Amino acid sequence: MLDADVAIVGAGAAGLSLAHRLAHRAPATRRLSVVLVDAPPGPLRPPSRTWCFWERGRGRYDAAVTATWRRLRVRTPGGAVIEDDITPLRYKMIRSEDFESLVEHDLGRSGQVRRIEAAVETVEGVPEGARVLARTADGHPLTLRARWVFDSRPLGSLPAARTTLLQHFHGWFVRSDRPVFDVGTVELMDFRTPQPASGLSFGYVLPTGDRQALVEYTEFSPHLLSRSGYESALRHYTEDVLGLTGLEVVSTETGVIPMTDAPFARQTATCVFRIGAAGGATRPSTGYTFAAVQRQTGAVAQALAAGRRPVPPPAHSARSRAMDAVMLRALDSGRVDGADFFAHLFTRVPMERLLRFLDGRTRLHEDLSVGVRTPVLPMLRSAAELPYLPRRPFPGP
């Protein structure tokens, strides 16, 4: 039996971010005993992945950042180029293994967070706290009792929703024997890819040097592709669209991110809370999660330091979630063409403002200025029917 003030279940972006914040206790605040429960090596641990986000100036995790950019480029289906400087923002890329190394180093220096490896089987509320039942890698049962538990494990199934699309992607980390990449600019959305029957697709290029980059093929659609389908789409994008040949594929990454208007429960028992993607941190319209995780875990850490009840706040405002629900319905119903929708938006709205909008950092008048630059009638029709649509369980990818 272990006892702690705080137990964090799962060591992904959300779990590690909260542990990192709690390891740096502000002066004159009560010391908290914190246990971070990480799954043993094996299928319960997520694969290596890349997180991207944008923020002003220097950030908390800059030591782990692979690269930053201040210029973004979008290409329309017809090949027109939209390029802009997003100053004072910076678009940043972190690889999960670098993030984990930075957090592990800082946790070791602080000595305030105990990290254990165990497969969590049950998290349940008990009087005056919660209990975590787990099993170590060698099969021994482990019980952890804590005043507060923050569960960041992926959900077994998605909540019922009116609309759910999947953002699914496959990427190559590539190397060229000659300089072929524009190291100063991210190819954020290149719509010169063949568009699926439902949803949209685009290419994505993050240059980490003039000879190295992460090149991805991404779809927003209800169904996944086969592994050979992703490989074929990426080969077409790199060779036929970008005109790049002879690239060496150093490593790969694959992912699926739900884009849904489902409500996510942030509390499952009196003292048990969900954080991260499981707690609704993923922005439904984009799939970006990392920045919202930082807002959510920062608020939890502040509440704990102040002795308040540490309920994770909604990662996105009600207004943002409502607008996302309309956009998802318009895409899923086919009322708007996805590639044209986003290309038109980037054409008519400055990228810095649009990124703040996508991060929920704009004011009402700015939101309205973005809204009127979308296909108004299809969006209004989608908004009008939303209250009458039933919420159904998602059958899964």
Side-chain angles (χ1 to χ4, degrees), residues 53-191:
F53 59 102
W54 49 89
E55 63 183 350
R56 288 172 175 258
R58 291 192 55 79
R60 183 182 186 89
Y61 302 111
D62 276 2
V65 167
T66 303
T68 67
W69 302 267
R70 62 181 180 86
R71 297 196 67 81
L72 303 183
R73 183 185 297 127
V74 172
R75 295 183 191 266
T76 70
V81 175
I82 308 143
E83 188 173 322
D84 204 357
D85 188 314
I86 61 171
T87 301
L89 301 178
R90 291 292 185 270
Y91 194 85
K92 300 183 179 184
M93 166 188 176
I94 290 184
R95 300 192 69 173
S96 59
E97 56 264 38
D98 296 327
F99 180 74
E100 290 163 9
S101 295
L102 172 67
V103 173
E104 185 175 3
H105 174 266
D106 289 353
L107 294 185
R109 289 182 59 188
S110 77
Q112 295 197 55
V113 177
R114 180 178 179 182
R115 188 168 183 172
I116 61 175
E117 287 188 353
V120 173
E121 298 173 343
T122 305
V123 178
E124 58 188 10
V126 297
E128 299 301 319
R131 182 167 53 208
V132 178
L133 304 178
R135 198 166 294 275
T136 62
D138 56 7
H140 289 91
L142 173 71
T143 301
L144 168 63
R145 185 182 176 107
R147 178 68 181 92
W148 308 107
V149 173
F150 298 91
D151 192 347
S152 67
R153 294 172 300 165
L155 298 177
S157 60
L158 292 174
R162 294 167 297 194
T163 309
T164 298
L165 294 175
L166 300 175
Q167 179 180 155
H168 48 107
F169 55 88
H170 183 63
W172 290 340
F173 290 90
V174 299
R175 181 185 297 129
S176 173
D177 59 4
R178 64 190 189 282
V180 294
F181 296 109
D182 178 1
V183 72
T185 305
V186 168
E187 202 82 38
L188 187 68
M189 299 178 109
D190 186 343
F191 293 110

Side-chain angles (χ1 to χ4, degrees), residues 6-22 34 36-37 46 49 51 60-61 96 99-100 103 107 150-154 273-282 289-298 300-301 312 315:
V6 176
I8 303 169
V9 178
L16 289 174
S17 296
L18 180 56
H20 191 262
R21 292 178 183 277
L22 296 181
V34 182
L36 173 63
V37 186
R49 56 234 182 265
W51 299 310
R60 183 182 186 89
Y61 302 111
S96 59
F99 180 74
E100 290 163 9
V103 173
L107 294 185
F150 298 91
D151 192 347
S152 67
R153 294 172 300 165
F273 308 102
R274 287 188 180 134
I275 56 173
T282 300
T289 305
F290 191 83
V293 161
Q294 302 315 312
R295 294 195 295 270
Q296 196 177 62
T297 55
V300 167

